[in-house]
Amino acid sequence: MQTDLSRKLGIEHAIFGFTPFPAVAAAISRAGGFGVLGAVRYTAPDELARDLDWMQEHVDSRPYGLDVVMPAKKVEGVSESEVEAMIPEAHRQFVKDTLGKYGVPELAEGEASGWRITGWMEQVARNQLDVAFDYPIKLLANALGSPPADVIQRAHDHDVLVAALAGSARHARKHADAGIDIVVAQGYEAGGHTGEIASMVLTPEAVEAVAPLPVLAAGGIGSGEQIAAAFALGAQGVWLGSLWLTTTEADLHSRALTEKLLAAGSGDTVRSRALTGKPARQLRTEWTDAWDDPDGPGTLPMPLQGLLVAEAVSRIQKYEVQALLGTPVGQIVGRMNSERSVQVVFDELTRGFERAIDRVNRIAGRD
């Protein structure tokens, strides 16, 4: 599964694997792909440094990258506490009532509420970059549009390629104009923040819009046959995220959540603003249904929604409240029906790719 881009980066397969788990990212790189570690959950620079140290020791000198979240718009001079003060009391009460309805226990006194979604604040991402550029990363990806111009320049000064996710050809052109190196065309099927255009339509539109820049296809891809289709549409690689959630190297800290993912079908996800305030595909649960109910208060814009629900999500996950328990995941969850190692996933992707190529060659009379 080689392309010009994979050869440029020195990887065996043009498979870019996004994951919040260092062990998964390292395994992807060792398997011949390109592991990309998601940084949004790292609010302390020393925590990111610790995991990048670990990555360095476990990638077997293979290349890897980092994914940050830098919003296209920022608010200057506003602290997290000032932002949190903007949350209406009615929304706080709605969270309290919903958790009470399902009997979700409180956290122990003094217990931290877990990950707070502050990574949407630009300064947090800039602090992450201060750490990341001390490591030999080969790619910097941004999940919310093009990074600021000075960040792109800083990455290029370190010989780091810059990628940005796009949900439309218009977004892709804006990224190209901003000077990024790779466009990730993320279709409607994808997990997490995603737009409204399906991958089969979006990929060739993005390829045409930004040629000759390389495009990675993302969203709804979880087999070698689908990778072959992405290449046929002009992509120079694929960007896979959801597929790794049920690998043996992943650490979801919840057996109940893993089992829920394994049991889910491709129709068991929903695009909801419940988690961050922006549309994000995730498992459909009673929690997402509550926020999407027209009789409810509705979600708040980013980053208010993420700050509002951070403790609630931590409680739901800690106590594994089945009806409310969810996670961002794409429609490919319907194929994620067994736990396998990252290497086994790569082996299956490779075999599926070969089957697809053989099939096309037979159709074309080249067998």
Side-chain angles (χ1 to χ4, degrees), residues 103-160:
V104 183
E106 298 276 356
L107 296 175
E109 185 175 353
E111 183 177 357
S113 63
W115 171 51
R116 293 173 62 77
I117 306 175
T118 57
W120 316 127
M121 303 177 77
E122 182 175 320
Q123 189 54 51
V124 174
R126 287 186 177 275
N127 292 340
Q128 293 166 348
L129 295 179
D130 289 340
V131 172
F133 286 130
D134 288 336
Y135 293 82
I137 63 171
K138 298 300 182 184
L139 176 72
L140 174 67
N142 189 50
L144 288 179
S146 302
D150 68 296
V151 171
I152 296 175
Q153 185 59 56
R154 187 179 178 190
H156 288 165
D157 289 344
H158 284 82
D159 294 324
V160 174

Side-chain angles (χ1 to χ4, degrees), residues 11-134:
I11 57 177
E12 184 179 357
H13 303 299
I15 296 174
F16 295 72
F18 165 78
T19 174
F21 307 118
V24 176
I28 290 168
S29 290
R30 290 197 306 271
F34 192 99
V36 182
L37 179 64
V40 70
R41 68 191 181 96
Y42 295 99
T43 56
D46 61 330
E47 294 175 353
L48 177 59
R50 176 202 63 206
D51 282 357
L52 289 176
D53 284 339
W54 189 93
M55 290 273 295
Q56 275 293 106
E57 296 174 2
H58 292 85
V59 294
D60 292 350
S61 301
R62 305 291 182 91
Y64 64 93
L66 192 73
D67 179 280
V68 298
V69 178
M70 303 189 79
K73 298 178 181 179
K74 64 178 180 177
V75 179
E76 298 282 4
V78 179
S79 68
E80 181 182 336
S81 60
E82 290 172 318
V83 172
E84 194 163 6
M86 301 176 188
I87 297 173
E89 184 56 37
H91 283 74
R92 296 185 189 276
Q93 187 62 46
F94 180 76
V95 170
K96 182 178 180 179
D97 291 345
T98 303
L99 295 180
K101 176 181 177 181
Y102 291 92
V104 183
E106 298 276 356
L107 296 175
E109 185 175 353
E111 183 177 357
S113 63
W115 171 51
R116 293 173 62 77
I117 306 175
T118 57
W120 316 127
M121 303 177 77
E122 182 175 320
Q123 189 54 51
V124 174
R126 287 186 177 275
N127 292 340
Q128 293 166 348
L129 295 179
D130 289 340
V131 172
F133 286 130
D134 288 336

Side-chain angles (χ1 to χ4, degrees), residues 316-345:
I316 292 167
Q317 292 176 344
K318 176 179 179 178
Y319 298 111
E320 297 188 328
V321 182
Q322 187 72 14
L324 306 179
L325 189 63
T327 187
V329 69
Q331 292 179 331
I332 200 64
V333 70
R335 294 185 64 92
M336 296 158 48
N337 49 24
S338 66
E339 292 180 84
R340 302 159 294 165
S341 70
V342 168
Q343 183 60 62
V344 168
V345 171

Side-chain angles (χ1 to χ4, degrees), residues 8 16 18 42 92 146 156 163 184 220 240 250 258 262 283 316 349 366:
K8 179 178 181 178
F16 295 72
F18 165 78
Y42 295 99
R92 296 185 189 276
S146 302
H156 288 165
V184 181
L240 309 183
T258 297
L262 294 172
L283 281 180
I316 292 167
L349 293 175
R366 292 194 293 265

Side-chain angles (χ1 to χ4, degrees), residues 305-321:
Q305 182 71 13
L307 291 170
L308 169 66
V309 304
E311 180 178 329
V313 171
S314 293
R315 289 165 59 186
I316 292 167
Q317 292 176 344
K318 176 179 179 178
Y319 298 111
E320 297 188 328
V321 182

